[in-house]
Amino acid sequence: MLMRKEYEYTMNVLAFHIQTSDIIPAFPYVAPFSSTVPDCCRIVRSFIEDSVSFMSYCGQMDFYDVVKKYLDQLLSEVLDGALLKLINSSVHGVSQAMQVAANIAVLERACDFFSRHAALLSGIPLRTAERSRRQFPLNKSRDAAGDILSGMLKTKVDGLMTLIENVNWMTDEPSQAGNEYVNEIIIYLETLVSTAQQILPIQVLKRVLQDVLSHISMKIVEALLSDSVKRINVNSITGIDVDIQLLESFADNLSPLFSEEGDKIQLKNALAESRQLINLLLSNHPENYMNPVIRERSYNALDYRKVVKISEKLRDPSDRLFGSFGNRGAKSNPKKKSLDALIKILKDVS
């Protein structure tokens, strides 16, 4: 929403306490929300004022609870329902989904103002209003907006993930700079973040990125599980390790956006399944997976059935079907023996 003058900012932002800073911005100012937000705020504010006026006219005392009841109903049923209908019927692109999610986040701040405004007009102490506040009334539309945005981003990522089909799973040399698919995904995500951080609140952006990174992690594991991949070797797994490192670096580079340390950890942990799988496949002691303590600490995101299927595909270059005769006298690989033992144990468990 474009505001050219200070009075427009006062009418559309300060009037509903939806500003993020006490500093008046320079004009013209482009707000991260659309005009829908102040329009909805004006309707709700008018409803509160008319409700208080009506109850005062009736001569009823202590009517705050009545006003609050119908305010909650207006927000949780009417406004939330209207936003939900909009999301389900009219949101067709990433930028539109991002704007709706941003609008709802701003309306969340406005809901605090509505509660305080109703209390103030009803002659109720603000601390009483604080105690009677319920959960955010627009939770259905907020969740739907986040879900549809995440879904659209996952669909875009799925298109880029098809490039994983170009990976050589029996390569002689591991990829040092990341496979094509992961470089394309990171370019897309970096472009997305540069736009999204101008519009989306940080917590919404974190949730969406967490969903997308978790989806990428799942797609990497699915690629290794795919029936089209018959054999893999250590070099290709090392290349996937590089890919995951690049994704982890992307997550680390977002750290300045998040003030909470827990947010940074959660973002990186979204890659847990693929990271733990690659760590296991590259481990010198994969049989440690059977140790309950180690498994809970280092491999808790893994499904043992997936571990079995992918481990069976792993072959060292010396184990190729038509390896050179010179390899026949070579020492057996202890890591391969451990992996074979792990596969046998896991098969017995299943």
Side-chain angles (χ1 to χ4, degrees), residues 57-76:
Y57 180 79
C58 292
Q60 184 172 340
M61 302 297 289
D62 300 330
F63 49 76
Y64 170 73
D65 288 341
V66 179
V67 173
K68 186 66 167 60
K69 173 186 174 182
Y70 287 105
L71 171 62
D72 289 341
Q73 192 172 340
L74 175 69
L75 295 173
S76 62

Side-chain angles (χ1 to χ4, degrees), residues 153-167 169 179-186 188-189 211-226 228-229 240 243-244 247 271 274:
L153 296 179
K154 289 174 188 176
T155 299
K156 175 65 177 179
V157 164
D158 285 346
L160 298 173
M161 281 296 300
T162 59
L163 294 171
I164 203 170
E165 296 170 5
N166 299 333
V167 172
W169 298 105
N179 287 296
E180 181 185 14
Y181 78 91
V182 79
N183 286 305
E184 290 295 327
I185 285 172
I186 288 174
Y188 174 70
L189 291 179
D211 284 349
V212 172
L213 288 174
S214 179
H215 183 72
I216 294 168
S217 180
M218 179 193 73
K219 298 298 285 188
I220 291 173
V221 176
E222 283 183 1
L224 289 164
L225 283 168
S226 171
S228 63
V229 178
I240 297 296
D243 296 344
I244 297 170
L247 290 166
L271 297 162
S274 57

Side-chain angles (χ1 to χ4, degrees), residues 108-217:
E108 187 168 358
R109 294 200 297 275
C111 286
D112 291 337
F113 162 75
F114 298 146
S115 179
R116 292 194 300 270
H117 192 56
L120 183 65
L121 294 181
S122 302
I124 296 295
L126 289 182
R127 62 179 179 275
T128 303
E130 292 290 331
R131 286 198 300 268
S132 65
R133 184 183 302 170
R134 299 179 181 177
Q135 65 174 354
F136 177 50
L138 309 179
N139 57 341
K140 291 179 182 176
S141 55
R142 177 182 59 187
D143 292 345
D147 290 343
I148 198 169
L149 178 56
S150 293
M152 288 178 177
L153 296 179
K154 289 174 188 176
T155 299
K156 175 65 177 179
V157 164
D158 285 346
L160 298 173
M161 281 296 300
T162 59
L163 294 171
I164 203 170
E165 296 170 5
N166 299 333
V167 172
N168 180 356
W169 298 105
M170 294 299 291
T171 182
D172 293 330
E173 295 290 338
S175 170
Q176 299 296 324
N179 287 296
E180 181 185 14
Y181 78 91
V182 79
N183 286 305
E184 290 295 327
I185 285 172
I186 288 174
I187 289 170
Y188 174 70
L189 291 179
E190 287 176 343
T191 304
L192 172 77
V193 169
S194 67
T195 302
Q197 65 180 320
Q198 306 300 320
I199 301 173
L200 288 178
I202 292 302
Q203 286 304 310
V204 177
L205 178 59
K206 187 209 81 171
R207 179 198 160 189
V208 170
L209 287 175
Q210 195 172 336
D211 284 349
V212 172
L213 288 174
S214 179
H215 183 72
I216 294 168
S217 180

Side-chain angles (χ1 to χ4, degrees), residues 69-90:
K69 173 186 174 182
Y70 287 105
L71 171 62
D72 289 341
Q73 192 172 340
L74 175 69
L75 295 173
S76 62
E77 295 181 18
V78 181
L79 182 55
D80 196 28
L83 290 168
L84 196 58
K85 183 178 178 181
L86 170 73
I87 292 164
N88 292 333
S89 63
S90 304

